[in-house]
Amino acid sequence: MPHAIIGRMQGVPDQFDHPADRAEFRRPAHRAGMELYRAHIVRHAFEPHTHQAFGIGAIVSGVERFRYRGTEHLAPAGSVVLMNPDELHTGRAETAQGWSYRMLYLDAELLQALTGDAGWWFDGAVQHDALLAARLQQQLHRLWQATDALAVDGALLDLLQLLRPAARIGRPLQPASALRFGAVIDCMHDRLAEPLTLAELAAVADLSPFHFQRSFKAAHGATPHQMLMALRLLQAKRRLAAGQPPASVAAAVGLADQAHLTRAFSRRYGVTPARYARQVG
């Protein structure tokens, strides 16, 4: 079944402060592990969030500022944004006019199945290559407009071939700080729906709460609470895409209620949970 295009948003979404801010998602019905996104953002600031997928995008106009791997990046029009899975990042406009962009989120397993290459990764978050950005924009537009499985897959493979020279093969070495807190991240995953205290997480890392908070933030560019919320909202995104109602999703990921889910989800993904579910359903 072809995926339908969600038309221009009517009115102003509750979570946005500026009438020019808008964001849309879509997923091909036949291709699990793939999500398309396009947005124009003027005032909205995305709180730290993550995707369990590669983020591949092009800046169409304006300039984005985002924090990724503990470093601030600027991505102007004509640049390419390349993010590895499970990396926390933010996003906001650097200029008064905002910025427009298109993204593809692609699961690592799907990428490997399509290319035959194991362990793609990108070592630079922003590539200032106007020609590559223009060609990537074309491929992302093709994917958005595609109305059948063959057209989607053809455009997707063309896009991956275009990006293959920018990718490295083989998993990079993880910094010692990331390895140190791996057990903490695992604890967060295992106990998403439970209330967690800083003392409990610090004990997993065998540190005092004071040193744990400081060291964790230095390693991940976010506090433990920001990381936990990012993981909760990522899980909420998966459950909404699977058709679960927002109220049950909120309870399943440890949020107080549906209103809490709506506020937190909107701040990280730019759409309400209900709108996201309609767009990808």
Side-chain angles (χ1 to χ4, degrees):
M1 177 180 177
H3 50 198
I5 294 174
I6 303 298
R8 180 187 175 93
M9 294 183 181
Q10 300 299 313
V12 182
D14 292 340
Q15 73 274 14
F16 285 141
D17 296 322
H18 196 282
D21 286 355
R22 59 186 183 273
E24 299 173 89
F25 287 89
R26 70 179 299 196
R27 290 187 173 193
H30 78 290
R31 183 59 75 189
M34 172 184 172
E35 186 169 79
L36 294 164
Y37 177 75
R38 65 182 183 183
H40 177 75
I41 305 297
V42 175
R43 191 170 296 170
H44 188 75
F46 294 91
E47 293 192 3
H49 63 284
T50 187
H51 305 271
Q52 196 177 35
F54 287 96
I56 298 166
I59 307 299
V60 179
S61 64
V63 183
E64 178 190 13
R65 175 182 287 274
F66 64 96
R67 188 168 183 81
Y68 174 81
R69 290 183 174 176
T71 302
E72 292 287 326
H73 299 271
L74 290 178
S79 60
V80 173
V81 175
L82 300 171
M83 295 182 178
N84 297 313
D86 300 315
E87 295 281 0
L88 280 183
H89 56 280
T90 61
R92 63 179 175 84
E94 178 68 7
T95 59
Q97 295 75 27
W99 90 103
S100 297
Y101 62 115
R102 290 178 174 269
M103 296 292 298
L104 165 67
Y105 298 106
L106 197 65
D107 286 0
E109 294 80 5
L110 176 57
L111 190 151
Q112 181 175 340
L114 291 171
T115 64
D117 295 330
W120 271 43
W121 64 283
F122 300 111
D123 62 356
V126 180
Q127 290 201 8
H128 301 281
D129 185 331
L131 179 58
L132 177 61
R135 295 175 67 188
L136 181 57
Q137 283 184 44
Q138 292 174 355
Q139 296 303 326
L140 291 170
H141 180 70
R142 279 182 61 199
L143 276 171
W144 192 276
Q145 296 296 327
T147 57
D148 62 73
L150 184 60
V152 169
D153 288 348
L156 179 57
L157 289 173
D158 285 346
L159 184 150
L160 293 177
Q161 182 177 0
L162 176 66
L163 283 180
R164 179 61 185 81
R168 299 201 177 190
I169 304 298
R171 295 183 63 85
L173 292 176
Q174 295 293 309
S177 58
L179 294 174
R180 180 179 193 180
F181 294 120
V184 175
I185 303 298
D186 289 342
C187 178
M188 291 179 179
H189 276 293
D190 293 341
R191 299 177 59 187
L192 280 182
E194 301 176 29
L196 288 171
T197 67
L198 190 65
E200 287 176 307
L201 295 175
V204 174
D206 195 24
L207 291 170
S208 70
F210 176 79
H211 287 96
F212 168 66
Q213 168 102 347
R214 184 178 62 183
S215 300
F216 189 95
K217 187 172 182 180
H220 293 283
T223 66
H225 179 258
Q226 288 173 323
M227 175 67 80
L228 177 61
M229 287 299 293
L231 296 177
R232 283 174 167 169
L233 271 297
L234 178 60
Q235 179 61 226
K237 196 163 176 273
R238 295 194 195 105
R239 289 175 177 270
L240 290 164
Q244 296 183 25
S248 64
V249 169
V253 301
L255 300 182
D257 51 31
Q258 185 173 339
H260 188 191
L261 172 66
T262 296
R263 292 192 302 273
F265 194 94
S266 300
R267 288 197 294 264
R268 286 159 181 83
Y269 296 112
V271 295
T272 64
R275 186 181 293 275
Y276 174 75
R278 288 197 300 271
Q279 289 177 352
V280 303

